[in-house]
Amino acid sequence: MANDHKIENYPKPMSFLTMVFWTGLFGGVFWGTIGYIASYFNFTEVGPNVILGPWSLGDWKNGWIGTVVSIMLMGVLSIFTAFVYYALLRKFKGIWFGLGYGLVLFFLVFFILNPLFPGIKPFSDLSRDTIITSICLYIVYGTFIGYSINFVFELNKVQEKEAST
C-alpha cells in the first residue's frame, strides 16, 4: 500500500514541444472563436472566414461550415506561430514579448499579407472599430501564446535545476 504513491504510478507530464503544439492549437481555436464573436456583434469587419477567401471553394465558405473550417484552420496555423515563438522568444521573461509578438502578427496580416486576403480591405479603408478590435485580439492572442510558452519554459528550468541538486 505504501508504494501506491510512487512517482512511477503517475502519468508523465507532456513534453515541452507537445505543450507548444497544444498551446498553439487551443490559442488559434479559442481566439479565432472570440474573433468570430467580435465580427458577429459587428466590432470588426474581419471575421474568421477571410482565411478561406483566396480559394474558390463555393458558397459554403461564407456560411457556418466555412466559419467552423476557418476557425479550425486558424488553430492549425496557430500551431506554426506557437513554434515560431518557441524558436525565437521562449527565453525572454514577461508578458511584453508576447504582447509584441501579437502586434507583429497583426502588422504581418494587415499590412504584408493583406493582398492575399480579398476579404480584408486595405488598412486605410478599415473602420476604427475594426482596427482597435483586431489589434486587441492579436495582442491577447500573442500574450496567451507567449506567456504560456514562457511559463512552461521557466517551470522546466526550475524543475531541471531542482533535479540536478
Side-chain angles (χ1 to χ4, degrees), residues 10-90:
Y10 292 100
K12 290 188 175 201
M14 271 191 271
S15 74
F16 190 38
L17 293 177
T18 302
M19 191 283 311
V20 171
F21 171 87
W22 286 111
T23 299
L25 182 65
F26 178 80
V29 170
F30 181 79
W31 292 109
T33 302
I34 298 299
Y36 168 72
I37 292 168
S39 68
Y40 180 81
F41 287 111
N42 296 317
F43 288 111
T44 178
E45 305 164 37
V46 181
N49 297 52
V50 299
I51 204 166
L52 297 176
W55 297 284
S56 58
L57 301 170
D59 290 335
W60 65 267
K61 73 180 179 182
N62 298 317
W64 70 271
I65 294 174
T67 300
V68 171
V69 169
S70 297
I71 290 172
M72 292 300 131
L73 188 56
M74 285 181 172
V76 172
L77 291 173
S78 179
I79 294 167
F80 173 74
T81 63
F83 276 104
V84 169
Y85 188 92
Y86 166 78
L88 300 177
L89 301 170
R90 72 178 178 267

Side-chain angles (χ1 to χ4, degrees), residues 79-158:
I79 294 167
F80 173 74
T81 63
F83 276 104
V84 169
Y85 188 92
Y86 166 78
L88 300 177
L89 301 170
R90 72 178 178 267
K91 294 181 181 181
F92 297 103
K93 293 182 181 181
I95 66 169
W96 297 108
F97 291 97
L99 187 146
Y101 189 64
L103 286 173
V104 167
L105 292 174
F106 171 82
F107 284 106
L108 181 71
V109 169
F110 282 84
F111 288 99
I112 296 171
L113 299 177
N114 186 293
L116 295 176
F117 301 109
I120 302 177
K121 296 179 193 174
F123 188 79
S124 59
D125 294 342
L126 293 172
S127 70
R128 185 173 40 162
D129 290 342
T130 296
I131 294 169
I132 291 170
T133 301
S134 298
I135 288 173
C136 290
L137 284 172
Y138 276 86
I139 285 174
V140 293
Y141 167 77
T143 302
F144 171 80
I145 295 292
Y147 197 76
S148 298
I149 291 172
N150 183 259
F151 177 79
V152 174
F153 179 75
E154 292 298 321
L155 185 64
N156 283 350
K157 278 187 2 185
V158 169

